[in-house]
Amino acid sequence: MANAELLPTPKQPTSWLTLLPPRLRRLLSPVWQSVGGSVEEIRIVQGQPIIVRTATGEWFVAPWGVADDLAAAVTADESMIHELLDAATRSSVYAVQDAMRAGYLTLPGGHRVGLAGEAQTQEGDVVGFRHVTGFNIRINREVRGACRPLLKALVRPDGGIWSTLVISPPGGGKTTLLRDLIRALSYGEPEFGLKPHRVGVADERGELAGGYRGLPQNDLGPRADVIDQCPKRHALAMLVRAMGPEVVVTDEIGHPLDAAAVLDAVAAGVALVCSAHGSSLADLKKRPTLRPLLEQEAFQRVVVLSRRRGPGTIERVVSWGPEP
Amino acid sequence: MKLVGALLLVAAACAIGHLQAARREQRVRLLAGLIGAMDLLESHIVYGRTLLAEALWRVGEQRADVGSLFLEAARLMEGGLAFSKAWRKALSAWSWGTALTAGDVRPLRDLGDVLGRSPADDQARHLRWVKSQLHAGWHDAREKLPELTRLYRALGVCGGLILALLLY
């Protein structure tokens, strides 16, 4: 399954370009003309050439669009970095300092901006950035239909969904797949026998819902309840306790406390859809955080993704654990 | 005819004296207004974590005396300008023709380079520094106000009389 087979939603095209400050918008406008819809990442680092990454490769940004040649590349200067920080924070670093402490910002439209530079620490903890000198803008892509090739394997005979773990290396399309899966669960997919579900989304990094000031920017359907910018362990507990979900979805389990919260949700009888970094099942089994989840058979399906034929290439769907 | 001219001259000189005195009073009022506005801005930023454009709107609506500066900066930000540019532009337009001195405007201008660019505790430090500068200007202006207003009014009357006598 490569992205080319799938239909991007109509709201994608201009959203990331309009969020940039005027000078960068002018500079990247020709890039948008040539490869805009398929841009996945834009790297803007002070003193370095600006780079865009698409599903098919990386290019330098030149005044006329994209180029292979480093000599043609436009270098990001200090004022460009300041302008971008102003635009990303809406000139309000203090209002987003908690997100910055985690190393990223979420923009309207759900685009995520990773930050690099000189971190500011206090008693060993990161409290923010003293100087931001680099950005990695990850474009939020709603790919409707991304989960359809998987639904047959994930839908239970009773119209529910098997608890599923999606794994891939970074950039492998986990988040895009989960986002579409939430939408499918929330609306239901009668074609695949999937009934509509109440879905609780623990969106710690704001990437699934693309939440901006608490409001999802992505279409997650009418039955999705989202708690964003909240540690997964708290969000999962809050959702199970308060919102009565039939399925809970969360992205990138990595911390032992996340795994414990996931097991608590299993104990509450809720189906799970989660993702984690990893390129194979063997990888997963080596990770101490995930091993208990596999050993306790929290999941009945494991989906392995890769970038082999573009992000979201389905390598394997493995049945795991008991099927109640 | 000469007498009418002389009277007009004295009246004009008195008016100039009064205007100058009124400008000194305006400076005190504006500085007090700016200090109050900075207090509000600090609350919105440090405690409310309100986005800067919205904080500027709120301050602008709450402070009738200096509100137009904040409202204009907010309007420019909503038009797509970063705070530093919006603030500088709004401040130049607003302060032109007011009784504020270059020394009064300087800390406000410097605020454009730092506001919105750091965490809340750092923002509080910057705002308090600006407030301390404004307060020093306000204290100085208020102390000298009675003396200066008397002086300008007297200068207006005396200057007008002397000029009228010389020309008469």
Side-chain angles (χ1 to χ4, degrees):
Chain A
M1 178 196 68
N3 276 336
E5 298 163 18
L6 305 164
L7 295 174
T9 55
K11 79 173 193 181
Q12 282 178 12
T14 53
S15 53
W16 62 263
L17 194 63
T18 57
L19 296 168
L20 300 175
R23 195 152 61 112
L24 268 170
R25 200 183 311 153
R26 279 195 298 276
L27 181 67
L28 287 167
S29 199
V31 174
W32 166 247
Q33 302 293 332
S34 49
V35 292
S38 60
V39 171
E40 291 176 358
E41 277 184 19
I42 307 166
R43 297 182 62 82
I44 302 171
V45 178
Q46 191 173 325
Q48 299 298 328
I50 300 174
I51 296 173
V52 292
R53 189 160 72 90
T54 69
T56 51
E58 267 190 6
W59 282 277
F60 296 114
V61 173
W64 58 84
V66 292
D68 288 330
D69 184 10
L70 178 60
V74 176
T75 300
D77 58 29
E78 190 180 357
S79 63
M80 212 177 261
I81 298 295
H82 283 163
E83 286 164 14
L84 186 51
L85 184 64
D86 280 338
T89 62
R90 297 177 76 189
S91 299
S92 310
V93 165
Y94 57 86
V96 290
Q97 68 187 68
D98 290 339
M100 285 182 77
R101 194 177 297 151
Y104 63 89
L105 296 166
T106 306
L107 300 182
H111 310 296
R112 182 169 143 184
V113 183
L115 306 170
E118 185 187 346
Q120 190 177 0
T121 57
Q122 215 167 53
E123 294 168 7
D125 290 325
V126 177
V127 292
F129 278 86
R130 195 167 281 124
H131 301 290
V132 175
T133 54
F135 300 87
N136 182 27
I137 306 172
R138 289 180 69 178
I139 306 302
N140 172 28
R141 292 168 59 79
E142 274 193 273
V143 183
R144 286 173 187 262
C147 73
R148 289 174 75 86
L150 280 169
L151 284 181
K152 203 174 161 189
L154 304 187
V155 175
R156 292 159 48 137
D158 63 358
I161 188 157
W162 297 116
S163 286
T164 302
L165 178 65
V166 180
I167 61 166
S168 85
K174 291 184 294 293
T175 305
T176 305
L177 177 65
L178 284 195
R179 197 180 291 138
D180 195 55
L181 205 45
I182 295 167
R183 188 170 35 234
L185 285 163
S186 180
Y187 282 110
E189 284 274 4
E191 193 185 327
F192 295 91
L194 181 66
K195 66 180 178 68
H197 287 73
R198 292 187 304 278
V199 190
V201 183
D203 196 9
E204 183 169 353
R205 297 175 310 157
E207 285 192 299
L208 293 171
Y212 184 70
R213 303 180 86 180
L215 195 66
Q217 306 284 298
N218 296 324
D219 175 16
L220 300 184
R223 296 176 187 84
D225 301 305
V226 182
I227 296 182
D228 76 347
Q229 310 298 333
C230 173
K232 286 181 199 66
R233 59 185 183 278
H234 298 309
L236 285 170
M238 287 157 75
L239 286 163
V240 170
R241 194 186 310 132
M243 303 308 290
E246 294 163 288
V247 185
V248 289
V249 182
T250 193
D251 205 3
E252 296 187 9
I253 303 169
H255 195 279
L257 291 172
D258 298 342
V262 164
L263 287 173
D264 282 346
V266 172
V270 178
L272 297 166
V273 178
C274 305
S275 72
H277 286 306
S279 51
S280 65
L281 276 171
D283 266 3
L284 284 192
K285 288 174 191 165
K286 283 182 205 156
R287 291 181 61 186
T289 312
L290 297 172
R291 203 186 304 136
L293 295 177
L294 297 174
E295 283 170 0
Q296 295 189 38
E297 296 171 336
F299 302 102
Q300 287 91 48
R301 296 286 182 274
V302 178
V303 177
V304 184
L305 303 179
S306 76
R307 292 179 63 90
R308 194 164 48 84
R309 284 184 292 125
T313 305
I314 299 166
E315 294 290 347
R316 295 173 71 193
V317 181
V318 182
S319 293
W320 190 272
E323 294 184 358
Chain B
M1 196 63 181
K2 267 188 173 179
L3 187 63
V4 173
L7 284 172
L8 283 174
L9 193 64
V10 172
C14 284
I16 290 169
H18 275 284
L19 276 176
Q20 286 301 319
R23 280 178 68 78
R24 298 303 169 278
E25 286 166 350
Q26 187 202 28
R27 180 175 174 231
V28 174
R29 272 200 313 276
L30 287 179
L31 286 169
L34 285 167
I35 292 166
M38 290 299 145
D39 275 331
L40 283 173
L41 198 55
E42 186 182 342
S43 299
H44 286 306
I45 287 175
V46 178
Y47 306 110
R49 306 284 169 101
T50 313
L51 290 175
L52 193 48
E54 197 179 325
L56 291 169
W57 271 119
R58 289 188 189 177
V59 173
E61 282 170 354
Q62 285 171 281
R63 299 292 316 196
D65 43 6
V66 293
S68 55
L69 165 63
F70 296 86
L71 291 173
E72 177 62 5
R75 195 187 62 77
L76 290 169
M77 280 183 82
E78 285 181 359
L81 281 187
F83 171 74
S84 54
K85 286 181 184 163
W87 181 251
R88 202 155 292 163
K89 209 168 167 184
L91 183 62
S92 303
W94 177 80
S95 62
W96 192 86
T98 65
L100 294 177
T101 65
D104 297 332
V105 175
R106 196 172 304 121
L108 291 172
R109 202 177 50 228
D110 292 346
L111 199 58
D113 295 328
V114 292
L115 205 62
R117 284 204 168 146
S118 57
D121 50 352
D122 197 49
Q123 295 288 288
R125 269 197 298 277
H126 288 302
L127 284 165
R128 282 171 200 158
W129 181 81
V130 172
K131 269 192 294 184
S132 73
Q133 299 295 302
L134 293 171
H135 196 270
W138 172 80
H139 191 262
D140 180 55
R142 199 187 59 160
E143 277 217 324
K144 291 178 180 165
L145 185 65
E147 193 185 322
L148 281 174
T149 49
R150 270 200 309 276
L151 177 71
Y152 279 114
R153 282 180 186 133
L155 271 177
V157 175
C158 295
L161 284 172
I162 290 167
L163 208 58
L165 283 172
L166 286 173
L167 292 172
Y168 198 56

Coordinates of all heavy atoms in Angstrom, one line a residue, chain B residues 13-53:
Chain B
A13 N -0.1 83.7 23.4 CA 1.1 83.3 24.3 C 0.6 82.6 25.5 O 1.2 81.5 25.9 CB 1.9 84.5 24.7
C14 N -0.5 83.1 26.1 CA -1.1 82.4 27.3 C -1.5 81.0 26.9 O -1.3 80.0 27.6 CB -2.3 83.1 27.8 SG -1.8 84.6 28.8
A15 N -2.2 80.9 25.7 CA -2.7 79.6 25.2 C -1.5 78.6 25.0 O -1.6 77.4 25.4 CB -3.5 79.7 23.9
I16 N -0.4 79.1 24.5 CA 0.8 78.3 24.2 C 1.3 77.8 25.6 O 1.6 76.6 25.8 CB 1.9 79.0 23.4 CG1 1.4 79.2 22.0 CG2 3.2 78.3 23.5 CD1 2.2 80.2 21.2
G17 N 1.4 78.7 26.6 CA 1.8 78.3 27.9 C 0.9 77.2 28.5 O 1.4 76.2 29.1
H18 N -0.4 77.4 28.4 CA -1.3 76.4 28.9 C -1.2 75.1 28.2 O -1.2 74.0 28.8 CB -2.8 76.9 28.7 CG -3.2 77.8 29.9 ND1 -3.5 77.3 31.1 CD2 -3.3 79.2 30.0 CE1 -3.8 78.3 31.9 NE2 -3.7 79.5 31.3
L19 N -1.0 75.1 26.9 CA -0.8 73.9 26.1 C 0.4 73.1 26.6 O 0.4 71.9 26.7 CB -0.7 74.2 24.6 CG -2.0 74.4 23.8 CD1 -1.7 74.7 22.4 CD2 -2.8 73.0 23.9
Q20 N 1.5 73.9 26.8 CA 2.8 73.3 27.3 C 2.5 72.6 28.6 O 3.0 71.5 28.9 CB 3.9 74.3 27.3 CG 4.4 74.7 25.9 CD 5.0 73.5 25.2 OE1 5.7 72.6 25.7 NE2 4.7 73.4 23.9
A21 N 1.8 73.4 29.5 CA 1.5 72.8 30.8 C 0.7 71.6 30.7 O 0.9 70.6 31.4 CB 0.8 73.9 31.7
A22 N -0.3 71.6 29.8 CA -1.2 70.5 29.6 C -0.4 69.3 29.1 O -0.7 68.1 29.5 CB -2.3 70.8 28.6
R23 N 0.6 69.5 28.3 CA 1.4 68.4 27.8 C 2.2 67.7 28.9 O 2.4 66.5 28.9 CB 2.4 68.9 26.7 CG 1.8 69.0 25.3 CD 2.7 69.6 24.3 NE 3.8 68.6 24.0 CZ 3.7 67.6 23.2 NH1 2.5 67.4 22.6 NH2 4.7 66.8 22.9
R24 N 2.6 68.5 29.9 CA 3.3 68.0 31.0 C 2.4 67.1 31.8 O 2.7 66.0 32.3 CB 3.9 69.0 31.9 CG 5.0 69.9 31.2 CD 6.1 69.0 30.7 NE 7.0 69.6 29.8 CZ 6.9 69.9 28.5 NH1 5.7 69.5 27.9 NH2 7.8 70.4 27.8
E25 N 1.1 67.6 31.9 CA 0.1 66.8 32.6 C -0.2 65.5 31.9 O -0.4 64.4 32.4 CB -1.2 67.6 32.8 CG -1.0 68.7 33.9 CD -2.2 69.7 33.9 OE1 -2.9 69.7 32.9 OE2 -2.2 70.5 34.8
Q26 N -0.3 65.7 30.5 CA -0.5 64.5 29.7 C 0.5 63.4 29.9 O 0.3 62.2 29.9 CB -0.6 64.9 28.2 CG -1.1 63.8 27.3 CD -0.7 63.9 25.8 OE1 0.3 64.6 25.5 NE2 -1.5 63.4 25.0
R27 N 1.8 63.9 29.9 CA 2.9 62.9 30.1 C 2.7 62.1 31.4 O 2.9 60.8 31.3 CB 4.3 63.7 30.1 CG 5.4 62.7 30.3 CD 6.8 63.4 30.2 NE 7.8 62.5 30.5 CZ 8.8 62.7 31.4 NH1 8.9 63.8 32.0 NH2 9.7 61.7 31.6
V28 N 2.4 62.8 32.5 CA 2.2 62.0 33.7 C 1.0 61.0 33.6 O 1.1 59.9 34.0 CB 1.9 63.0 34.9 CG1 1.5 62.3 36.2 CG2 3.1 63.9 35.1
R29 N -0.1 61.5 32.9 CA -1.2 60.6 32.7 C -0.9 59.4 31.9 O -1.2 58.2 32.2 CB -2.4 61.4 32.1 CG -3.3 62.1 33.1 CD -4.7 62.4 32.4 NE -4.6 63.0 31.1 CZ -4.4 64.3 30.8 NH1 -4.3 65.1 31.9 NH2 -4.3 64.7 29.6
L30 N -0.2 59.7 30.8 CA 0.2 58.6 29.9 C 1.1 57.6 30.5 O 1.0 56.3 30.4 CB 0.9 59.1 28.6 CG 0.0 59.8 27.6 CD1 0.8 60.3 26.4 CD2 -1.1 58.9 27.1
L31 N 2.1 58.1 31.3 CA 3.0 57.2 32.0 C 2.3 56.3 33.0 O 2.5 55.1 33.1 CB 4.2 58.0 32.6 CG 5.2 58.5 31.6 CD1 6.2 59.5 32.3 CD2 6.0 57.4 31.0
A32 N 1.4 56.9 33.7 CA 0.6 56.2 34.7 C -0.2 55.1 34.0 O -0.4 54.0 34.4 CB -0.3 57.1 35.5
G33 N -0.8 55.5 32.8 CA -1.6 54.6 32.0 C -0.8 53.4 31.5 O -1.2 52.3 31.6
L34 N 0.4 53.7 31.1 CA 1.3 52.7 30.6 C 1.7 51.7 31.7 O 1.8 50.5 31.5 CB 2.5 53.3 29.9 CG 2.3 53.9 28.5 CD1 3.5 54.8 28.1 CD2 2.0 52.8 27.5
I35 N 2.0 52.2 32.9 CA 2.3 51.4 34.0 C 1.2 50.4 34.3 O 1.3 49.2 34.5 CB 2.7 52.2 35.2 CG1 4.0 53.0 35.0 CG2 2.8 51.3 36.5 CD1 4.3 54.1 36.0
G36 N -0.1 51.0 34.3 CA -1.2 50.1 34.6 C -1.4 49.1 33.5 O -1.7 47.9 33.7
A37 N -1.2 49.5 32.2 CA -1.3 48.6 31.1 C -0.3 47.5 31.2 O -0.5 46.3 30.9 CB -1.1 49.3 29.8
M38 N 1.0 47.8 31.6 CA 2.0 46.8 31.8 C 1.6 45.8 32.9 O 1.9 44.6 32.8 CB 3.4 47.4 32.1 CG 4.0 48.2 30.9 SD 4.3 47.2 29.5 CE 3.9 48.3 28.2
D39 N 1.0 46.3 33.9 CA 0.5 45.4 35.0 C -0.5 44.4 34.4 O -0.4 43.2 34.7 CB -0.2 46.2 36.1 CG 0.8 46.7 37.1 OD1 1.9 46.1 37.3 OD2 0.6 47.8 37.7
L40 N -1.4 44.9 33.6 CA -2.4 44.0 33.0 C -1.8 43.0 32.1 O -2.1 41.8 32.1 CB -3.4 44.9 32.2 CG -4.5 45.6 33.0 CD1 -5.3 46.5 32.1 CD2 -5.4 44.6 33.7
L41 N -0.9 43.5 31.3 CA -0.2 42.7 30.3 C 0.6 41.5 31.0 O 0.5 40.4 30.6 CB 0.8 43.5 29.4 CG 1.2 42.9 28.1 CD1 0.1 42.5 27.2 CD2 2.1 43.9 27.4
E42 N 1.2 41.9 32.1 CA 1.9 40.9 32.9 C 1.0 39.8 33.4 O 1.3 38.6 33.4 CB 2.7 41.6 34.1 CG 3.6 40.6 34.8 CD 4.3 41.2 36.0 OE1 4.3 42.5 36.1 OE2 4.7 40.4 36.9
S43 N -0.2 40.3 33.9 CA -1.2 39.3 34.4 C -1.6 38.3 33.3 O -1.7 37.1 33.5 CB -2.4 40.0 34.9 OG -2.1 40.8 36.0
H44 N -1.9 38.9 32.1 CA -2.4 38.1 31.0 C -1.3 37.1 30.5 O -1.6 36.0 30.2 CB -2.8 38.9 29.8 CG -4.1 39.6 30.0 ND1 -5.3 39.0 30.4 CD2 -4.5 40.9 30.0 CE1 -6.3 39.8 30.5 NE2 -5.8 41.0 30.3
I45 N -0.1 37.6 30.5 CA 1.0 36.7 30.0 C 1.5 35.7 31.1 O 1.6 34.5 30.8 CB 2.2 37.6 29.6 CG1 1.9 38.4 28.3 CG2 3.5 36.8 29.4 CD1 2.9 39.4 27.8
V46 N 1.8 36.2 32.3 CA 2.4 35.3 33.3 C 1.4 34.4 33.9 O 1.7 33.2 34.1 CB 3.2 36.2 34.3 CG1 3.8 35.3 35.4 CG2 4.2 37.0 33.6
Y47 N 0.2 34.9 34.2 CA -0.7 34.1 34.9 C -1.7 33.4 34.0 O -2.1 32.3 34.1 CB -1.4 34.9 36.0 CG -0.4 35.5 37.0 CD1 -0.3 36.9 37.0 CD2 0.4 34.7 37.8 CE1 0.7 37.5 37.8 CE2 1.3 35.3 38.6 CZ 1.5 36.7 38.6 OH 2.4 37.2 39.4
G48 N -2.2 34.2 33.0 CA -3.2 33.7 32.1 C -2.6 32.9 30.9 O -3.3 32.1 30.3
R49 N -1.3 33.1 30.6 CA -0.7 32.5 29.5 C -1.5 32.7 28.2 O -1.7 31.8 27.4 CB -0.5 31.0 29.7 CG 0.3 30.6 30.9 CD 1.8 30.9 30.7 NE 2.5 30.8 32.0 CZ 3.2 29.7 32.4 NH1 3.3 28.7 31.6 NH2 3.8 29.7 33.5
T50 N -2.1 33.9 28.1 CA -2.9 34.3 27.0 C -2.0 34.6 25.8 O -1.0 35.2 26.0 CB -3.7 35.6 27.3 OG1 -4.3 35.4 28.6 CG2 -4.8 35.8 26.3
L51 N -2.4 34.2 24.6 CA -1.6 34.5 23.4 C -1.5 36.0 23.3 O -2.4 36.7 23.6 CB -2.3 33.9 22.2 CG -2.3 32.4 22.0 CD1 -3.1 32.0 20.8 CD2 -0.9 31.9 21.9
L52 N -0.3 36.4 22.8 CA 0.0 37.8 22.9 C -1.0 38.7 22.2 O -1.4 39.8 22.7 CB 1.4 38.0 22.4 CG 2.1 39.4 22.6 CD1 2.0 39.8 24.1 CD2 3.6 39.3 22.2
A53 N -1.4 38.3 21.0 CA -2.4 39.2 20.3 C -3.7 39.4 21.1 O -4.2 40.5 21.2 CB -2.7 38.6 18.9

